[in-house]
Amino acid sequence: MPRLLNHTVSVEPTAEAAACTAVACRNCGLYQLGRLPGREEADPTLLQRIACSRRQLRKGEYLYRLDEPVRAVYAIRYGSLKSYVLSGDGRLQITGFHIVGEPLGLNDLATGRHTSEAQILEPTSLCEVPLDHLEKLSVEVPSIRSQMLIILSREVQHYQELMLMLGKKNAEERLATFLLGLSSRFEQHGFSPLRFNLSMSRGDIGTYLGIAEETTCRLFSRLQEEGLIRAHRRSVEIRDLDRLRQLALR
Amino acid sequence: MPRLLNHTVSVEPTAEAAACTAVACRNCGLYQLGRLPGREEADPTLLQRIACSRRQLRKGEYLYRLDEPVRAVYAIRYGSLKSYVLSGDGRLQITGFHIVGEPLGLNDLATGRHTSEAQILEPTSLCEVPLDHLEKLSVEVPSIRSQMLIILSREVQHYQELMLMLGKKNAEERLATFLLGLSSRFEQHGFSPLRFNLSMSRGDIGTYLGIAEETTCRLFSRLQEEGLIRAHRRSVEIRDLDRLRQLALR
DNA sequence: CGAGTGGTTGACCACAATCAAGACCCGTGG
DNA sequence: CCACGGGTCTTGATTGTGGTCAACCACTCG
């Protein structure tokens, strides 16, 4: 397995994922699009037809930028990225971090132009499905549109949680919620929920949580002092899941 | 025209709307579902088939509550309501106010259960389309699903703006943004963008903007002192659109 | 006319922002 | 191999915005 990833990497691709030669597979966020009504498993043939091409991107590159026409939807094979919206005077609010196995890019279908930007956080491999291809396919296979609705509706739920965070939680509760969220997403994709590496900086985390970078740092320290976590730079270990949950789930 | 509405009402139904006997019509947020590919105007026959029943609700009633199964999607004929999400310990974050002509209820399709609640703010009339009915129809008319995607994607854009607000704007900028947003929505639906009545309390506005009720009050006073608006209780007049925009669009 | 809800204003305080300095870690090049 | 530089992270000191508590007012409805 080529060592693509440096220490800042959130998760190394598992042997399984690295060995997977399919453009879209179980690990990939578009898997769901391949589901037929009433079936849990995706239809492999359909999946083959959906998946088009891979794309490899380096840290700092943009997947898409503001006002660009929406050309495709994506799924993350490995790696991670952040997406964010911008205010008139350039302040930015990160609206989500996307990690391995998650779909991306359905947000801006209404306008046909991106209202947000997506930037790569670490070496990342994506599966890319051009919109016109998806369009054609979904005429023939209507279930694809249903699945798109479901994915988008999940996105909405994520945003609702984030709004609750930004509007109602204090800084400590926000960080706890953030860490638990990551934890369970890693678990969903077969990684350890208690030990993981962050691919984003303290500044990014702050920009996501609506707090300052310095505050984020202080909170990492505080949670560590209180024994809830152990953290050094990008590596995080959750030591007291229960108390962390207590903090977050308020 | 029956006087259904008291002084707290955001907008009186226009003569046209009141006279409209159709369940779904131009004024109604489901109008868009009746659009066929490439057409601006909705297909009247299709619209007739989509629209099912009306429903009349009073202030304080719930359209749906947390964890209830999603039964239908709605469009507002007249009136308004708020929807909100709840934290573990009962704090609530209002995620949107819905006014005349806007669609509602597509958010929770993924889970099939409501992750938010919707409560009526003033006497309100809705057009209701049961999900199974919509389901059946959209097998036959696939464009319906596309339109649902577009509606949901608009919703996402609204949330992105709200997150920018909650995460990055100060209290004054939030209120300015809020007032301008309402203003342009009223305008879209044929009402005056410079004079309107709010259907929500100061507390609700605060809960939406992530600030305290008292702060909301103070800001109304401040914007009035500075000559940007005139406000008395639920009635608002925008007096200096440009400066208000300057504040909001940062 | 009185009660109750919603709105307003004031005083005080706390949480988190900002400013500032320094430590740590990495990649790079000598 | 080590020295350097830049980015990231950390901690401290100070400030300020907005939260909280409290009292009072205004308007509506019964």
Side-chain angles (χ1 to χ4, degrees), chain A residues 135-150:
Chain A
E135 201 56 42
K136 264 182 252 155
L137 256 180
S138 57
V139 170
E140 191 185 327
V141 189
S143 68
I144 291 181
R145 283 229 179 82
S146 310
Q147 295 297 336
M148 285 168 74
L149 267 171
I150 290 178

Side-chain angles (χ1 to χ4, degrees), chain A residues 170-171 210-212 214-215 218 232-233:
Chain A
N170 69 24
I211 58 185
E214 295 93 324
T215 306
R218 275 184 254 273
H232 181 68
R233 304 236 141 192

Side-chain angles (χ1 to χ4, degrees), chain B residues 222-240:
Chain B
R222 193 150 102 212
L223 291 182
Q224 173 149 325
E225 280 163 31
E226 292 168 348
L228 303 198
I229 63 170
R230 261 175 55 83
H232 181 68
R233 305 236 139 191
R234 303 290 177 104
S235 81
V236 176
E237 181 191 347
I238 294 177
R239 307 202 74 177
D240 192 336

